[in-house]
Amino acid sequence: MKASARNLFSGKVTAIRPGAINAEVELTTAGGDKITAIVTQTSVQTLELAVGKEAIALIKAPWVMLLTEDGDIKLSARNRAAGKVSKLVKGAVNTEVAVTLAGGSTVYAIITNDAVLDLGLTEGRDATVLFKASHVILGVPA
Amino acid sequence: MKASARNLFSGKVTAIRPGAINAEVELTTAGGDKITAIVTQTSVQTLELAVGKEAIALIKAPWVMLLTEDGDIKLSARNRAAGKVSKLVKGAVNTEVAVTLAGGSTVYAIITNDAVLDLGLTEGRDATVLFKASHVILGVPA
Amino acid sequence: MKASARNLFSGKVTAIRPGAINAEVELTTAGGDKITAIVTQTSVQTLELAVGKEAIALIKAPWVMLLTEDGDIKLSARNRAAGKVSKLVKGAVNTEVAVTLAGGSTVYAIITNDAVLDLGLTEGRDATVLFKASHVILGVPA
């Protein structure tokens, strides 16, 4: 498969916390970065998700928010990881920002040019990526 | 109503699968394309959704992912449909890609220019559209 | 904290409607604009959300839809507010549209240039913003 999502992470399922309707699934990459997804219990069964199983997580870049100086806030989104800006590609309205996490995963966010200025994002700068668990799509080999 | 969403599908409700809090609503277009939405039970009541009722489904183009060569993967997103690329509009960072499905519906996705190259998307090429049921907004005449 | 989200609203929690798994949290700005968020019960506890507490709501601009002439439709999305277009920033594919609501809040939407034309959006024109409660991220001071 090839996917248009800029963010495609391969890893192993390291935790499944079942709920009444949805389940929270944690994926850990080879480098140790963790991604939490909320999917339906139906998807857990259809994809035969289980701890130890290889899976991928897909997240589109417009679904990712960036934060700086965020030590002073608690947020409702489950996926929040500190990293460093590794690349910026500027367009007329939006910029694609690549942030490399501690475990080596690169997360891409598409944010407005104004936001790039507001946050003072430049290569090498610290930035935190933030995205909702309910926005993550999981995949397994068919 | 006029909506900024590039994807506005008209059809009939063909199934409602109620859950404890949310319901899964299936809309089928005149051409036979199917869209699944997850909305709250409150919305099912407020919109008086019922099988056979006319409704519309709205999905913004940034919520739509594109896949190619995806026969080898199972995914947690409910809406997945094969089609052919019918148009590309290229920007500095993003491209808007139109994919026409078997039933004649055109689905628009906004993806990065890099993704267009990675997937080799050109007019006439096969592509699969993918979006989450929780990203669909349903509407009915007031 | 600085966030890349174009939409960051400060206000007070004015209602919490608990569900089995999720809770619906209403935030009201100083000017009286209301934003509804759906977050997990876990987040309600972690963020210690309670009526009267100061909080922020974050929504990325690509998640916001714009409507015009929408008196004839009922929609499943919880956040729907009438306002006036206060600014447009045009790119190659997308335009960022600012809509100022009755209470003085400005909501930013990123929509396609085609949608700007279809809806006839110009400064001063009436427009309705629409976004799902499940897309709102809530934050509180740490």
Side-chain angles (χ1 to χ4, degrees):
Chain A
M1 181 204 59
K2 288 184 178 183
S4 68
R6 286 299 277 158
N7 297 299
L8 191 162
F9 304 104
S10 296
K12 281 194 175 159
V13 175
T14 43
I16 299 181
R17 285 175 282 272
I21 297 161
N22 293 320
E24 205 178 278
V25 180
E26 183 191 77
L27 189 82
T28 305
T29 66
D33 294 316
K34 285 178 191 302
I35 292 149
T36 299
I38 290 177
V39 299
T40 58
Q41 288 285 10
T42 308
S43 287
V44 171
Q45 287 158 28
T46 311
L47 274 61
E48 300 170 73
L49 294 173
V51 171
K53 187 164 177 173
E54 298 277 352
I56 59 163
L58 294 163
I59 309 115
K60 282 194 72 163
W63 308 352
V64 180
M65 215 176 267
L66 296 182
L67 309 173
T68 56
E69 304 162 36
D70 61 315
D72 57 348
I73 197 146
K74 290 193 285 186
L75 293 159
S76 65
R78 202 63 58 90
N79 292 289
R80 180 178 184 173
K84 280 190 189 297
V85 175
S86 46
K87 198 179 168 193
L88 297 107
V89 179
K90 194 171 178 291
V93 171
N94 289 314
T95 297
E96 184 186 70
V97 183
V99 175
T100 302
L101 306 183
S105 305
T106 297
V107 179
Y108 294 85
I110 289 182
I111 66 174
T112 59
N113 296 346
D114 283 350
V116 173
L117 290 176
D118 288 351
L119 274 68
L121 298 176
T122 50
E123 277 191 41
R125 171 86 203 258
D126 286 342
T128 296
V129 301
L130 183 77
F131 54 93
K132 296 192 72 152
S134 57
H135 287 170
V136 180
I137 295 174
L138 293 181
V140 296
Chain B
M1 180 204 59
K2 288 183 178 183
S4 68
R6 289 297 279 158
N7 296 300
L8 191 162
F9 304 102
S10 297
K12 281 193 175 159
V13 175
T14 43
I16 299 182
R17 285 176 283 271
I21 298 162
N22 293 319
E24 203 179 279
V25 180
E26 182 191 78
L27 189 83
T28 305
T29 66
D33 293 317
K34 287 178 189 303
I35 292 148
T36 299
I38 290 178
V39 300
T40 58
Q41 288 286 11
T42 308
S43 288
V44 171
Q45 287 160 27
T46 312
L47 274 60
E48 299 170 73
L49 295 173
V51 171
K53 186 162 179 174
E54 297 277 352
I56 60 162
L58 295 162
I59 310 115
K60 283 197 70 163
W63 295 126
V64 180
M65 215 177 266
L66 296 181
L67 309 172
T68 55
E69 305 162 35
D70 61 316
D72 57 348
I73 197 146
K74 291 194 284 185
L75 292 159
S76 66
R78 203 62 57 91
N79 292 289
R80 179 179 184 172
K84 279 188 188 299
V85 175
S86 47
K87 198 180 167 193
L88 297 109
V89 179
K90 195 172 177 291
V93 171
N94 289 314
T95 297
E96 185 186 69
V97 183
V99 175
T100 302
L101 306 183
S105 306
T106 297
V107 179
Y108 294 85
I110 289 183
I111 65 174
T112 59
N113 297 345
D114 283 349
V116 172
L117 291 177
D118 288 352
L119 275 66
L121 297 176
T122 51
E123 277 190 41
R125 171 84 204 257
D126 288 340
T128 296
V129 302
L130 182 78
F131 53 95
K132 296 192 73 152
S134 57
H135 287 164
V136 179
I137 295 174
L138 293 180
V140 296
Chain C
M1 181 203 58
K2 289 184 176 181
S4 67
R6 287 299 277 158
N7 297 298
L8 191 162
F9 304 104
S10 296
K12 279 193 175 160
V13 174
T14 43
I16 299 181
R17 285 176 282 274
I21 296 161
N22 293 320
E24 205 179 278
V25 180
E26 183 192 76
L27 189 83
T28 305
T29 66
D33 293 317
K34 286 178 191 302
I35 291 149
T36 299
I38 290 177
V39 298
T40 57
Q41 288 285 12
T42 309
S43 287
V44 172
Q45 288 159 27
T46 312
L47 275 61
E48 299 170 73
L49 295 173
V51 171
K53 185 162 179 174
E54 298 277 352
I56 60 163
L58 294 164
I59 310 115
K60 281 194 73 161
W63 308 350
V64 179
M65 213 177 270
L66 296 180
L67 309 174
T68 56
E69 305 162 36
D70 60 315
D72 57 348
I73 196 145
K74 290 193 284 187
L75 292 160
S76 66
R78 202 63 59 90
N79 293 289
R80 181 178 183 173
K84 280 190 190 298
V85 175
S86 46
K87 197 178 169 195
L88 297 108
V89 179
K90 194 172 177 293
V93 171
N94 289 315
T95 297
E96 185 186 68
V97 182
V99 175
T100 302
L101 305 184
S105 305
T106 297
V107 179
Y108 294 86
I110 290 181
I111 65 174
T112 59
N113 297 344
D114 283 349
V116 172
L117 292 176
D118 288 352
L119 274 68
L121 297 176
T122 51
E123 276 190 42
R125 171 86 203 260
D126 287 340
T128 295
V129 301
L130 182 78
F131 53 93
K132 296 192 73 150
S134 58
H135 289 168
V136 180
I137 295 174
L138 293 180
V140 295

mmCIF file with all atom_site columns, all heavy atoms in Angstrom, chain C residues 48-60:
data_model
loop_
_atom_site.group_PDB
_atom_site.id
_atom_site.type_symbol
_atom_site.label_atom_id
_atom_site.label_alt_id
_atom_site.label_comp_id
_atom_site.label_asym_id
_atom_site.label_entity_id
_atom_site.label_seq_id
_atom_site.pdbx_PDB_ins_code
_atom_site.Cartn_x
_atom_site.Cartn_y
_atom_site.Cartn_z
_atom_site.occupancy
_atom_site.B_iso_or_equiv
_atom_site.pdbx_formal_charge
_atom_site.auth_seq_id
_atom_site.auth_comp_id
_atom_site.auth_asym_id
_atom_site.auth_atom_id
_atom_site.pdbx_PDB_model_num
ATOM 1  N N   . GLU C 1 48 ? -9.420  18.267 35.355 1.00 0.00 ? 48 GLU C N   1
ATOM 2  C CA  . GLU C 1 48 ? -10.230 18.757 36.481 1.00 0.00 ? 48 GLU C CA  1
ATOM 3  C C   . GLU C 1 48 ? -11.237 19.808 36.007 1.00 0.00 ? 48 GLU C C   1
ATOM 4  O O   . GLU C 1 48 ? -11.356 20.884 36.586 1.00 0.00 ? 48 GLU C O   1
ATOM 5  C CB  . GLU C 1 48 ? -9.325  19.302 37.591 1.00 0.00 ? 48 GLU C CB  1
ATOM 6  C CG  . GLU C 1 48 ? -8.383  18.219 38.147 1.00 0.00 ? 48 GLU C CG  1
ATOM 7  C CD  . GLU C 1 48 ? -7.308  18.788 39.077 1.00 0.00 ? 48 GLU C CD  1
ATOM 8  O OE1 . GLU C 1 48 ? -7.653  19.170 40.198 1.00 0.00 ? 48 GLU C OE1 1
ATOM 9  O OE2 . GLU C 1 48 ? -6.136  18.843 38.653 1.00 0.00 ? 48 GLU C OE2 1
ATOM 10 N N   . LEU C 1 49 ? -11.927 19.465 34.927 1.00 0.00 ? 49 LEU C N   1
ATOM 11 C CA  . LEU C 1 49 ? -12.920 20.379 34.360 1.00 0.00 ? 49 LEU C CA  1
ATOM 12 C C   . LEU C 1 49 ? -14.133 20.479 35.274 1.00 0.00 ? 49 LEU C C   1
ATOM 13 O O   . LEU C 1 49 ? -14.609 19.466 35.795 1.00 0.00 ? 49 LEU C O   1
ATOM 14 C CB  . LEU C 1 49 ? -13.351 19.898 32.970 1.00 0.00 ? 49 LEU C CB  1
ATOM 15 C CG  . LEU C 1 49 ? -12.252 19.918 31.900 1.00 0.00 ? 49 LEU C CG  1
ATOM 16 C CD1 . LEU C 1 49 ? -12.735 19.257 30.623 1.00 0.00 ? 49 LEU C CD1 1
ATOM 17 C CD2 . LEU C 1 49 ? -11.786 21.342 31.615 1.00 0.00 ? 49 LEU C CD2 1
ATOM 18 N N   . ALA C 1 50 ? -14.602 21.681 35.483 1.00 0.00 ? 50 ALA C N   1
ATOM 19 C CA  . ALA C 1 50 ? -15.776 21.904 36.326 1.00 0.00 ? 50 ALA C CA  1
ATOM 20 C C   . ALA C 1 50 ? -16.410 23.215 35.882 1.00 0.00 ? 50 ALA C C   1
ATOM 21 O O   . ALA C 1 50 ? -15.725 24.097 35.338 1.00 0.00 ? 50 ALA C O   1
ATOM 22 C CB  . ALA C 1 50 ? -15.363 21.986 37.788 1.00 0.00 ? 50 ALA C CB  1
ATOM 23 N N   . VAL C 1 51 ? -17.693 23.340 36.106 1.00 0.00 ? 51 VAL C N   1
ATOM 24 C CA  . VAL C 1 51 ? -18.384 24.575 35.726 1.00 0.00 ? 51 VAL C CA  1
ATOM 25 C C   . VAL C 1 51 ? -17.740 25.753 36.454 1.00 0.00 ? 51 VAL C C   1
ATOM 26 O O   . VAL C 1 51 ? -17.468 25.676 37.656 1.00 0.00 ? 51 VAL C O   1
ATOM 27 C CB  . VAL C 1 51 ? -19.900 24.471 36.025 1.00 0.00 ? 51 VAL C CB  1
ATOM 28 C CG1 . VAL C 1 51 ? -20.583 25.822 35.840 1.00 0.00 ? 51 VAL C CG1 1
ATOM 29 C CG2 . VAL C 1 51 ? -20.544 23.428 35.107 1.00 0.00 ? 51 VAL C CG2 1
ATOM 30 N N   . GLY C 1 52 ? -17.446 26.801 35.691 1.00 0.00 ? 52 GLY C N   1
ATOM 31 C CA  . GLY C 1 52 ? -16.834 27.993 36.269 1.00 0.00 ? 52 GLY C CA  1
ATOM 32 C C   . GLY C 1 52 ? -15.333 28.066 36.069 1.00 0.00 ? 52 GLY C C   1
ATOM 33 O O   . GLY C 1 52 ? -14.730 29.132 36.182 1.00 0.00 ? 52 GLY C O   1
ATOM 34 N N   . LYS C 1 53 ? -14.733 26.929 35.729 1.00 0.00 ? 53 LYS C N   1
ATOM 35 C CA  . LYS C 1 53 ? -13.278 26.885 35.552 1.00 0.00 ? 53 LYS C CA  1
ATOM 36 C C   . LYS C 1 53 ? -12.852 27.511 34.216 1.00 0.00 ? 53 LYS C C   1
ATOM 37 O O   . LYS C 1 53 ? -13.513 27.327 33.203 1.00 0.00 ? 53 LYS C O   1
ATOM 38 C CB  . LYS C 1 53 ? -12.816 25.425 35.623 1.00 0.00 ? 53 LYS C CB  1
ATOM 39 C CG  . LYS C 1 53 ? -11.305 25.267 35.580 1.00 0.00 ? 53 LYS C CG  1
ATOM 40 C CD  . LYS C 1 53 ? -10.825 23.912 36.073 1.00 0.00 ? 53 LYS C CD  1
ATOM 41 C CE  . LYS C 1 53 ? -9.291  23.854 35.959 1.00 0.00 ? 53 LYS C CE  1
ATOM 42 N NZ  . LYS C 1 53 ? -8.754  22.629 36.550 1.00 0.00 ? 53 LYS C NZ  1
ATOM 43 N N   . GLU C 1 54 ? -11.732 28.238 34.234 1.00 0.00 ? 54 GLU C N   1
ATOM 44 C CA  . GLU C 1 54 ? -11.163 28.800 33.006 1.00 0.00 ? 54 GLU C CA  1
ATOM 45 C C   . GLU C 1 54 ? -10.590 27.668 32.151 1.00 0.00 ? 54 GLU C C   1
ATOM 46 O O   . GLU C 1 54 ? -9.932  26.764 32.682 1.00 0.00 ? 54 GLU C O   1
ATOM 47 C CB  . GLU C 1 54 ? -10.006 29.761 33.325 1.00 0.00 ? 54 GLU C CB  1
ATOM 48 C CG  . GLU C 1 54 ? -10.368 30.974 34.148 1.00 0.00 ? 54 GLU C CG  1
ATOM 49 C CD  . GLU C 1 54 ? -10.938 32.098 33.291 1.00 0.00 ? 54 GLU C CD  1
ATOM 50 O OE1 . GLU C 1 54 ? -10.905 31.979 32.050 1.00 0.00 ? 54 GLU C OE1 1
ATOM 51 O OE2 . GLU C 1 54 ? -11.436 33.085 33.877 1.00 0.00 ? 54 GLU C OE2 1
ATOM 52 N N   . ALA C 1 55 ? -10.816 27.736 30.849 1.00 0.00 ? 55 ALA C N   1
ATOM 53 C CA  . ALA C 1 55 ? -10.256 26.723 29.948 1.00 0.00 ? 55 ALA C CA  1
ATOM 54 C C   . ALA C 1 55 ? -10.074 27.344 28.571 1.00 0.00 ? 55 ALA C C   1
ATOM 55 O O   . ALA C 1 55 ? -10.564 28.451 28.304 1.00 0.00 ? 55 ALA C O   1
ATOM 56 C CB  . ALA C 1 55 ? -11.179 25.501 29.871 1.00 0.00 ? 55 ALA C CB  1
ATOM 57 N N   . ILE C 1 56 ? -9.340  26.652 27.732 1.00 0.00 ? 56 ILE C N   1
ATOM 58 C CA  . ILE C 1 56 ? -9.221  27.094 26.343 1.00 0.00 ? 56 ILE C CA  1
ATOM 59 C C   . ILE C 1 56 ? -9.724  25.989 25.425 1.00 0.00 ? 56 ILE C C   1
ATOM 60 O O   . ILE C 1 56 ? -9.741  24.808 25.794 1.00 0.00 ? 56 ILE C O   1
ATOM 61 C CB  . ILE C 1 56 ? -7.776  27.466 25.947 1.00 0.00 ? 56 ILE C CB  1
ATOM 62 C CG1 . ILE C 1 56 ? -6.834  26.246 26.116 1.00 0.00 ? 56 ILE C CG1 1
ATOM 63 C CG2 . ILE C 1 56 ? -7.264  28.669 26.732 1.00 0.00 ? 56 ILE C CG2 1
ATOM 64 C CD1 . ILE C 1 56 ? -5.523  26.404 25.364 1.00 0.00 ? 56 ILE C CD1 1
ATOM 65 N N   . ALA C 1 57 ? -10.155 26.402 24.241 1.00 0.00 ? 57 ALA C N   1
ATOM 66 C CA  . ALA C 1 57 ? -10.581 25.451 23.217 1.00 0.00 ? 57 ALA C CA  1
ATOM 67 C C   . ALA C 1 57 ? -9.718  25.700 21.984 1.00 0.00 ? 57 ALA C C   1
ATOM 68 O O   . ALA C 1 57 ? -9.541  26.855 21.575 1.00 0.00 ? 57 ALA C O   1
ATOM 69 C CB  . ALA C 1 57 ? -12.051 25.655 22.876 1.00 0.00 ? 57 ALA C CB  1
ATOM 70 N N   . LEU C 1 58 ? -9.168  24.627 21.438 1.00 0.00 ? 58 LEU C N   1
ATOM 71 C CA  . LEU C 1 58 ? -8.314  24.713 20.244 1.00 0.00 ? 58 LEU C CA  1
ATOM 72 C C   . LEU C 1 58 ? -9.003  23.988 19.085 1.00 0.00 ? 58 LEU C C   1
ATOM 73 O O   . LEU C 1 58 ? -9.448  22.850 19.244 1.00 0.00 ? 58 LEU C O   1
ATOM 74 C CB  . LEU C 1 58 ? -6.978  24.019 20.499 1.00 0.00 ? 58 LEU C CB  1
ATOM 75 C CG  . LEU C 1 58 ? -6.037  24.617 21.550 1.00 0.00 ? 58 LEU C CG  1
ATOM 76 C CD1 . LEU C 1 58 ? -4.977  23.598 21.950 1.00 0.00 ? 58 LEU C CD1 1
ATOM 77 C CD2 . LEU C 1 58 ? -5.352  25.855 20.973 1.00 0.00 ? 58 LEU C CD2 1
ATOM 78 N N   . ILE C 1 59 ? -9.068  24.646 17.940 1.00 0.00 ? 59 ILE C N   1
ATOM 79 C CA  . ILE C 1 59 ? -9.624  24.013 16.726 1.00 0.00 ? 59 ILE C CA  1
ATOM 80 C C   . ILE C 1 59 ? -8.770  24.469 15.548 1.00 0.00 ? 59 ILE C C   1
ATOM 81 O O   . ILE C 1 59 ? -8.617  25.666 15.326 1.00 0.00 ? 59 ILE C O   1
ATOM 82 C CB  . ILE C 1 59 ? -11.092 24.430 16.457 1.00 0.00 ? 59 ILE C CB  1
ATOM 83 C CG1 . ILE C 1 59 ? -11.938 24.254 17.701 1.00 0.00 ? 59 ILE C CG1 1
ATOM 84 C CG2 . ILE C 1 59 ? -11.687 23.638 15.282 1.00 0.00 ? 59 ILE C CG2 1
ATOM 85 C CD1 . ILE C 1 59 ? -12.473 25.546 18.253 1.00 0.00 ? 59 ILE C CD1 1
ATOM 86 N N   . LYS C 1 60 ? -8.243  23.531 14.793 1.00 0.00 ? 60 LYS C N   1
ATOM 87 C CA  . LYS C 1 60 ? -7.451  23.909 13.612 1.00 0.00 ? 60 LYS C CA  1
ATOM 88 C C   . LYS C 1 60 ? -8.370  24.421 12.508 1.00 0.00 ? 60 LYS C C   1
ATOM 89 O O   . LYS C 1 60 ? -9.481  23.910 12.313 1.00 0.00 ? 60 LYS C O   1
ATOM 90 C CB  . LYS C 1 60 ? -6.637  22.716 13.101 1.00 0.00 ? 60 LYS C CB  1
ATOM 91 C CG  . LYS C 1 60 ? -5.375  22.471 13.938 1.00 0.00 ? 60 LYS C CG  1
ATOM 92 C CD  . LYS C 1 60 ? -4.412  21.529 13.235 1.00 0.00 ? 60 LYS C CD  1
ATOM 93 C CE  . LYS C 1 60 ? -3.705  22.169 12.060 1.00 0.00 ? 60 LYS C CE  1
ATOM 94 N NZ  . LYS C 1 60 ? -2.484  21.446 11.646 1.00 0.00 ? 60 LYS C NZ  1
#
